[in-house]
Amino acid sequence: MTDVSKNEYASDESPTTDVHRVGPTLPVLSDIATGAVQSPTPTVERFVNHFLRELNFGQGVLLSRSTINDQYIALAKTVRKYMMADWLDTGAKRREGGTKTVGYLSAEYLLGRQLSNALLATDLQDIAAEALRECGIDIADLRAQEIEPGLGNGGLGRLAACFIDSLATMDVPCIGYGIRYEYGIFRQTFEDNRQVEVPDSWLSLGSPWEFPHPERQVRVDFGGRTEQYTDDQGRERSRWIPGWNVLGIPYHQMVPGFRNHTVNTLRLWSAKATQAFDLQIFNSGDYAEAVRSQTFAENISKVLYPEDSTPQGKELRLQQQYFFVACSLHDFIENTLPQDFDLHHLPERIVFQLNDTHPVIAIPELMRILVDIKGFDWDDAWDITRQCFAYTCHTLLPEALEVWSVELMGKLLPRHLEIIYRINKNFLEEVAEAFPGDEMRTRRMSIISEHPERSVRMAYLATIGSSKVNGVAELHSQLLRDKVLPDFSAYWPDKFTNVTNGVTPRRFVFLANRKLSDLVTDAIGDGWVTDLEQFKKLEPFADDPNFRQQFAQVKQANKERLYNLLKARDGLDLPRDAMLDVMVKRLHEYKRQSLKLLHIVSMYDGIISGRVSTESVVPRTFVFGAKAAPGYHIAKETIFLINSVAQTINADERVKNFMSVAFPANYNVTLAEKLIPAADLSEQISLAGKEASGTGNMKFALNGALTIGTDDGANVEIRELVGDDNFFLFGMDEPQVEELRAKGYDPESYYQSNENLRATIDLLASGHFTGGDRRLAAQFVDNLLTQDPFMALADYQSYLDAQARVDEAYRDSDAWTRMAILNVARTGFFSSDRSMRDYRERIWNV
């Protein structure tokens, strides 16, 4: 290692023997924008020089005086510089080429740590690691310093992040639009086994990956009233007289493609008051009132998904949604398009993809821009608008299809409510003409719901105002047509399509599972990184004993890595020789963590009661990862009970050699990247017909975990691809669920008729896991016995039977490894690159 401690100040005037003397520095960026200049070829020497310059002149410290955070910031900004030329060049080419752009509108982007991804995309991993070694720094320490921005809640936000990664890798013009939440999804801790929500201060040490551009701020109006007037051409018009407004400040992040010199943009909006500070009030001594407008405005981008059980929370959520789409549409129309662009051709230049119902208010906002501001006739504006939007529905749960009360919409966005009324009136006239005399159909299809209160159904508005509507798995898309939006699919059969979700192989295989990546690359080459279907070439290797042995060694090494992490991170000391059985996902009743808990308690009860011979037990370590929404009481009670069961089981000497339970707090992308590659068994056990797709199921399968699951969401496609022999199917399918519900589901009848189930629930109810206090488990047990809305008890026995098949398969470790290899080999379909190709061909025409 070169000793730089005596000469750590970066300078162009260093002597020729100095390690910091380099050739050309990074080019002038104004030249890069023309495409005339490219960044110099990176070398270790140049990287050291750029890193020390950032440390000296960016952070203002010498290497010997720098903190780990100084070093991390300097490293991030150094890597950022190597992407800058490509970012500016990509933007220039997009503007000059007049190509159609994808405007991805999403309330969530769960990005994960950015440093490793940026190093991978720019092919700088080895150079950066060696350069830091020259400076006496271990790059692993700097990777660990990065704070993950929790700007998403789960699968929806992670999907958005995967999609923009794929679009950049495929060189598809895209701008991701969203909100720069000051505090993202809460940081989860546990106190007395209960979830406690702590603010996620992801900006506390700085965010080196973003660029604020206050000069491109956008004013966003709210409230007030509308008025009628006659324009210069004698036409009757409406205009909005707002009551108050805020400013949207854009923060840009670069989205690099994989080693292709394409860098797209993620543009996140932060709210700021138009008049943040009143000096006169301040001087009068009322300091809080002097900054009241600032506090009020900044609440809009303060927190991801504010608790909405109060009227104030509901209003804040609608403010958030309108705020970011208003900023985004204005940004594209006024700042991205050429100044003289004819908006009649807008569909040729943009398609806005609505990632669920959160951004749907963008449809009336574009109508307002075209009609009220640009002076378009209504019919022309509506024709343009419908071509500019496409809608992805991510749910089958009625409560997840957003509705807003007419009262709230009228208070906050009065002009938009008028536009929605007119859209609805015109649409219902079309429906009445197509189905004369069918009054009930007209009522069913109305955007405006009359019960239980007069409300705006955003999914209906999205369907009417979009050129395409898609589900996110084959089963989900079918149920979307048949059950959720049947009248609309009958009216517009060609509008509905399917695009099955996918995950980026760069982050969730290459970065997360480097040992497997190296093994696969040695076997089939590295083309799979951008063409995951090449995983099919691995199938013959499943019958190669040497490859199976190497694959098993990779899995064990990943387990060791996870166990070491959990011991350091959470103080968890897990056994090394057990099956790793993993269930990580948002805590929701339909995902049925309750069913997993029943299985664990049943196994525990079987061992301590002597009902099950310990000779037949396959040792397991059960790992949960889940957050419950702060206001979701029964979900939080489930977390409490899982932790209580884990505490009891882990302290019971009778079962220490056979089972353990871990629930590390604050599951996020960073932990997922360590946990998923280590898993043996993937739990995908939602009630059939309730999970739209899932992407965790794909990540586990691609990393060599076998799936136990229902025929739900993308499980259906996973099972079809990997084969029934390599998938542990259980439970009712969707028609059987509906049949049971129609007959009248009685959960207690399953409790009475199944001795194992009864013993399991009785043990939970007895207080055995809650220090003898029966009351602490009572709500969970009562909910199962009297309601069980997602039929965990109905599927219980089938689930246990499937788990017995899992045990049998796992006993033959070599056969299990073969099944795992086949799962990897046959699931290349689940790449987000393939998803993006499907969107391009079926929806966007990009």
Side-chain angles (χ1 to χ4, degrees):
M1 184 185 76
T2 304
D3 183 7
V4 300
S5 60
K6 296 180 181 178
N7 189 1
E8 58 183 290
Y9 186 82
S11 169
D12 286 330
E13 303 304 322
S14 304
T16 55
T17 56
D18 184 356
V19 71
H20 306 310
R21 191 174 195 281
V22 298
T25 60
L26 286 172
V28 178
L29 296 184
S30 59
D31 294 333
I32 297 172
T34 67
V37 180
Q38 298 296 320
S39 294
T41 302
T43 65
V44 171
E45 207 171 7
R46 285 175 175 150
F47 200 96
V48 168
N49 187 279
H50 297 146
F51 170 73
L52 290 175
R53 285 187 185 180
E54 280 295 339
L55 203 58
N56 298 158
F57 304 124
Q59 295 304 105
V61 294
L62 296 173
L63 177 60
S64 59
R65 301 282 295 172
S66 62
T67 66
I68 288 181
N69 195 63
D70 288 327
Q71 296 165 10
Y72 161 68
I73 295 289
L75 173 59
K77 289 186 175 180
T78 301
V79 177
R80 198 175 74 173
K81 282 184 176 179
Y82 279 92
M83 297 192 291
M84 187 73 71
D86 289 334
W87 184 47
L88 294 172
D89 194 42
T90 298
K93 289 176 180 177
R94 303 281 196 241
R95 289 188 294 274
E96 293 167 6
T99 53
K100 189 173 184 178
T101 297
V102 177
Y104 201 79
L105 298 176
S106 179
E108 299 184 35
Y109 288 93
L110 200 57
L111 299 169
R113 289 173 170 173
Q114 294 300 288
L115 176 58
S116 293
N117 188 67
L119 288 169
L120 174 66
T122 53
D123 200 15
L124 286 171
Q125 309 103 300
D126 295 340
I127 287 174
E130 179 59 30
L132 291 176
R133 275 195 294 272
E134 296 275 358
C135 298
I137 299 169
D138 185 347
I139 195 172
D141 294 336
L142 305 195
R143 292 179 196 268
Q145 177 66 17
E146 183 172 1
I147 299 175
E148 176 182 324
L151 305 183
N153 186 38
L156 184 77
R158 187 50 241 173
L159 185 77
C162 285
F163 280 3
I164 61 174
D165 171 273
S166 285
L167 289 170
T169 296
M170 297 165 68
D171 195 23
V172 175
C174 173
I175 304 172
Y177 286 112
I179 301 177
R180 180 186 180 264
Y181 303 101
E182 184 177 345
Y183 299 98
I185 186 67
F186 61 86
R187 185 166 59 86
Q188 180 192 55
T189 63
F190 296 134
E191 293 181 11
D192 297 326
N193 291 333
R194 294 192 177 276
Q195 172 179 290
V196 176
E197 299 93 27
V198 179
D200 172 37
S201 304
W202 70 280
L203 292 168
S204 59
L205 295 177
S207 177
W209 302 103
E210 62 181 14
F211 302 85
H213 282 275
E215 76 283 359
R216 293 182 66 170
Q217 64 188 15
V218 177
R219 195 188 79 182
V220 180
D221 296 324
F222 293 97
R225 59 185 175 83
T226 64
E227 67 177 19
Q228 306 299 310
Y229 72 100
T230 303
D231 69 12
D232 295 340
Q233 300 176 36
R235 297 176 299 181
E236 290 296 319
R237 294 282 187 176
S238 294
R239 62 183 160 212
W240 184 11
I241 313 297
W244 56 280
N245 48 57
V246 301
L247 296 176
I249 310 299
Y251 284 74
H252 298 155
Q253 293 193 28
M254 292 183 282
V255 182
F258 180 73
R259 301 176 186 175
N260 64 351
H261 300 291
T262 293
V263 182
N264 284 339
T265 300
L266 174 63
R267 190 164 293 143
L268 303 178
W269 298 94
S270 180
K272 180 181 176 182
T274 48
Q275 293 181 329
F277 179 69
D278 191 312
L279 182 60
Q280 287 184 328
I281 292 177
F282 183 85
N283 286 336
S284 73
D286 193 345
Y287 305 138
E289 181 63 23
V291 294
R292 187 182 69 84
S293 61
Q294 177 182 356
T295 302
F296 182 76
E298 291 178 359
N299 281 341
I300 292 176
S301 57
K302 186 70 72 177
V303 176
L304 169 69
Y305 294 154
E307 168 57 36
D308 65 348
S309 60
T310 65
Q312 297 91 335
K314 286 184 172 64
E315 183 171 344
L316 182 54
R317 283 209 184 189
L318 183 54
Q319 288 173 9
Q320 286 184 332
Q321 293 180 8
Y322 177 64
F323 166 75
F324 98 83
V325 301
C327 288
S328 303
L329 266 60
H330 176 95
D331 175 79
F332 187 82
I333 292 171
E334 301 298 338
N335 296 331
T336 305
L337 292 173
Q339 289 186 350
D340 59 350
F341 185 79
D342 181 354
L343 290 177
H344 287 90
H345 300 288
L346 187 61
E348 299 168 17
R349 294 297 295 273
I350 187 68
V351 54
F352 290 108
Q353 187 66 40
L354 303 169
N355 193 30
D356 219 7
T357 51
H358 310 116
V360 171
I361 196 66
I363 292 172
E365 171 65 2
L366 182 56
M367 286 296 293
R368 187 187 71 84
I369 292 170
L370 294 176
V371 174
D372 294 0
I373 299 175
K374 303 299 182 181
F376 279 55
D377 290 333
W378 178 273
D379 290 343
D380 288 345
W382 183 235
D383 182 58
I384 292 167
T385 296
R386 285 193 298 178
Q387 295 180 66
C388 285
F389 288 99
Y391 166 50
T392 300
C393 178
H394 284 276
T395 187
L396 293 166
L397 303 179
E399 63 268 24
L401 296 170
E402 280 187 317
V403 297
W404 296 108
S405 73
V406 164
E407 180 183 8
L408 176 58
M409 184 75 74
K411 171 188 172 184
L412 205 59
L413 302 169
R415 179 57 181 143
H416 296 76
L417 182 59
E418 289 181 353
I419 291 170
I420 291 168
Y421 277 147
R422 183 166 177 183
I423 291 171
N424 194 47
K425 176 179 177 294
N426 293 350
F427 171 67
L428 293 183
E429 287 174 354
E430 294 176 12
V431 173
E433 184 177 343
F435 301 95
D438 194 343
E439 176 70 19
M440 292 305 297
R441 181 185 295 268
T442 304
R443 291 185 182 182
R444 290 196 306 268
M445 297 181 75
S446 174
I447 297 171
I448 306 300
S449 170
E450 301 296 337
H451 303 286
E453 64 177 336
R454 195 165 169 80
S455 304
V456 180
R457 296 188 273 208
M458 302 306 282
Y460 288 17
L461 176 60
T463 303
I464 294 165
S466 296
S467 60
K468 289 287 185 179
V469 177
N470 73 281
V472 290
E474 288 287 356
L475 176 62
H476 172 243
S477 294
Q478 188 62 49
L479 294 174
L480 185 65
R481 289 188 291 263
D482 296 347
K483 300 289 181 69
V484 180
L485 298 169
D487 292 317
F488 293 94
S489 65
Y491 188 58
W492 284 311
D494 294 337
K495 180 177 281 197
F496 286 75
T497 188
N498 172 67
V499 177
T500 298
N501 284 343
V503 301
T504 169
R506 270 76 63 186
R507 181 174 290 273
F508 287 105
V509 182
F510 196 105
L511 285 175
N513 201 342
R514 289 304 304 272
K515 290 184 181 297
L516 179 62
S517 298
D518 291 344
L519 179 63
V520 170
T521 298
D522 287 345
I524 65 171
D526 63 3
W528 61 268
V529 180
T530 53
D531 180 12
L532 203 57
E533 294 280 7
Q534 291 192 28
F535 266 12
K536 292 175 181 176
K537 298 177 183 178
L538 287 171
E539 190 157 340
F541 288 90
D543 294 318
D544 180 341
N546 183 55
F547 189 85
R548 289 200 302 272
Q549 181 182 15
Q550 291 177 291
F551 189 94
Q553 290 170 347
V554 165
K555 180 64 72 175
Q556 189 59 39
N558 288 334
K559 286 184 177 183
E560 289 292 331
R561 179 180 66 164
L562 174 69
Y563 297 148
N564 292 335
L565 172 69
L566 292 181
K567 187 169 185 178
R569 177 188 186 271
D570 301 275
L572 297 169
D573 195 2
L574 301 177
R576 263 47 178 181
D577 56 354
M579 180 201 305
L580 194 61
D581 182 345
V582 179
M583 186 173 191
V584 288
K585 51 187 74 253
R586 181 165 51 94
L587 203 304
H588 195 290
E589 288 173 277
Y590 87 82
K591 295 179 183 288
R592 300 203 294 191
Q593 283 91 351
S594 57
L595 180 57
K596 181 75 246 170
L597 183 60
L598 291 176
H599 169 230
I600 293 170
V601 174
S602 177
M603 179 177 173
Y604 172 75
D605 182 54
I607 295 172
I608 65 172
S609 68
R611 189 176 68 247
V612 174
S613 169
T614 55
E615 293 181 359
S616 66
V617 173
V618 173
R620 294 203 197 199
T621 294
F622 302 96
V623 178
F624 289 90
K627 294 180 180 180
Y632 194 172
H633 183 70
I634 191 64
K636 295 178 81 168
E637 288 298 303
T638 304
I639 286 179
F640 165 72
L641 204 53
I642 292 171
N643 277 327
S644 299
V645 168
Q647 189 176 57
T648 302
I649 288 176
N650 295 341
D652 194 328
E653 291 292 324
R654 294 172 293 179
V655 297
K656 64 177 290 186
N657 295 323
F658 307 107
M659 60 189 306
S660 58
V661 184
F663 196 153
N666 204 47
Y667 179 72
N668 57 13
V669 176
T670 302
L671 181 55
E673 291 170 359
K674 303 295 189 298
L675 179 54
I676 290 171
D680 293 307
L681 187 67
S682 165
E683 299 277 350
Q684 308 297 331
I685 60 177
S686 54
L687 178 65
K690 298 303 177 185
E691 184 69 83
S693 170
T695 52
N697 47 5
M698 304 169 187
K699 296 164 192 167
F700 281 105
L702 286 166
N703 281 276
L706 303 186
T707 304
I708 182 168
T710 53
D711 252 347
D712 196 27
N715 286 358
V716 177
E717 289 152 278
I718 291 175
R719 184 172 62 85
E720 290 173 350
L721 286 167
V722 305
D724 288 338
D725 293 341
N726 303 302
F727 187 105
F728 301 100
L729 178 67
F730 79 94
M732 298 175 286
D733 59 21
E734 192 273 336
Q736 291 170 329
V737 169
E738 290 307 305
E739 181 183 355
L740 179 56
R741 196 182 305 281
K743 287 194 306 185
Y745 174 54
D746 177 17
E748 189 169 3
S749 65
Y750 293 88
Y751 167 81
Q752 296 293 350
S753 62
N754 188 312
E755 183 179 350
N756 264 2
L757 177 58
R758 189 163 63 251
T760 297
I761 291 179
D762 287 350
L763 187 61
L764 276 169
S766 71
H768 180 81
F769 302 102
T770 52
D773 191 340
R774 299 170 62 93
R775 296 171 300 173
L776 295 178
Q779 187 173 2
F780 178 88
V781 171
D782 290 347
N783 184 59
L784 280 180
L785 293 179
T786 62
Q787 298 181 53
D788 191 19
F790 299 100
M791 301 183 178
L793 303 194
D795 272 349
Y796 169 83
Q797 190 57 53
S798 177
Y799 181 52
L800 260 62
D801 293 343
Q803 290 288 5
R805 298 198 302 275
V806 170
D807 283 346
E808 183 180 355
Y810 194 77
R811 286 189 184 95
D812 186 341
S813 59
D814 195 49
W816 180 278
T817 299
R818 182 180 184 278
M819 295 166 68
I821 294 169
L822 291 175
N823 267 258
V824 175
R826 294 173 179 176
T827 50
F829 170 80
F830 296 108
S831 168
S832 51
D833 299 346
R834 187 270 315 151
S835 297
M836 292 299 90
R837 286 195 297 272
D838 288 350
Y839 272 98
R840 288 175 62 183
E841 295 169 5
R842 301 175 190 176
I843 297 174
W844 297 334
N845 299 315
V846 175

